[in-house]
Amino acid sequence: MSLDGTYDDGNIFAKILRGEAPAVRVFEDSHVLSFMDVFPQAKGHCLVIPKHSTARNFLEEAPEVIGPLMLAVQRVARATRAALDPDGLMITTFNGAASGQTVYHLHVHIIPRWDGVPLGRHGGGMADMEELKALAAQIAAKVA
Ligand code: AMP
């Protein structure tokens, strides 16, 4: 899929938002939902998505959605730091297939990094669900 296209409401994140697919939830408010990435590139890798959006990527999103989205990203990133004590965090969006995007509902990745620990493959192995739930609870407990 290219940068341009039509929003498909059958995408997995739309299904999660409608309650049709499961997610290990970290945080939500009226604007956003944050949940653990099931194919994490690092321990604590989570996503933040806008709830009321048909933007396929960051470039398409309305300014009034970007504001609350990025404020929530900062909140969850700070909580992730407080919970897991990483040495750094990647905060990123992939826009278009050429960049590595695979799900076409705007989402922001928060990926904690530790010195000397290589980044896992994008779309690599599936996480253990119990481990993901424990990490989500740790991060959620630090959301301020
Ligand atoms: P992107 O490649 O930027 O579109 O990112 C999509 C991300 O969603 C990838 O990191 C996937 O591991 C992740 N992902 C795909 N399906 C699910 C799901 N059902 N629950 C949580 N994360 C998912």
Side-chain angles (χ1 to χ4, degrees):
M1 284 232 211
S2 77
L3 274 176
D4 300 307
T6 308
Y7 183 82
D8 172 7
D9 69 4
N11 76 73
I12 185 64
F13 295 168
K15 288 182 179 171
I16 287 172
L17 285 170
R18 291 194 299 268
E20 296 167 8
V24 179
R25 291 168 181 245
V26 174
F27 168 78
E28 73 179 294
D29 64 16
S30 58
H31 300 286
V32 306
L33 174 66
S34 175
F35 52 94
M36 302 307 291
D37 194 305
V38 285
F39 304 103
Q41 289 185 259
K43 184 180 82 168
H45 179 174
C46 71
L47 304 168
V48 185
I49 67 173
K51 282 184 172 175
H52 311 290
S53 174
T54 54
R56 299 161 72 250
N57 58 52
F58 192 77
L59 283 68
E60 286 181 357
E61 191 54 274
E64 59 270 23
V65 173
I66 293 289
L69 174 67
M70 295 313 287
L71 287 171
V73 167
Q74 188 188 54
R75 266 179 101 181
V76 176
R78 285 175 168 169
T80 302
R81 182 185 186 188
L84 303 180
D85 195 28
D87 298 311
L89 295 106
M90 291 166 52
I91 296 174
T92 188
T93 67
F94 297 87
N95 298 272
S99 73
Q101 185 175 12
T102 57
V103 178
Y104 290 83
H105 177 109
L106 171 60
H107 52 281
V108 180
H109 295 261
I110 299 173
I111 308 177
R113 301 296 309 275
W114 285 267
D115 290 336
V117 179
L119 185 65
R121 196 163 58 83
H122 186 54
M126 194 168 203
D128 175 84
M129 283 303 132
E130 292 312 310
E131 201 176 309
L132 274 196
K133 286 178 190 168
L135 286 164
Q138 274 180 269
I139 297 168
K142 297 291 185 182
V143 175

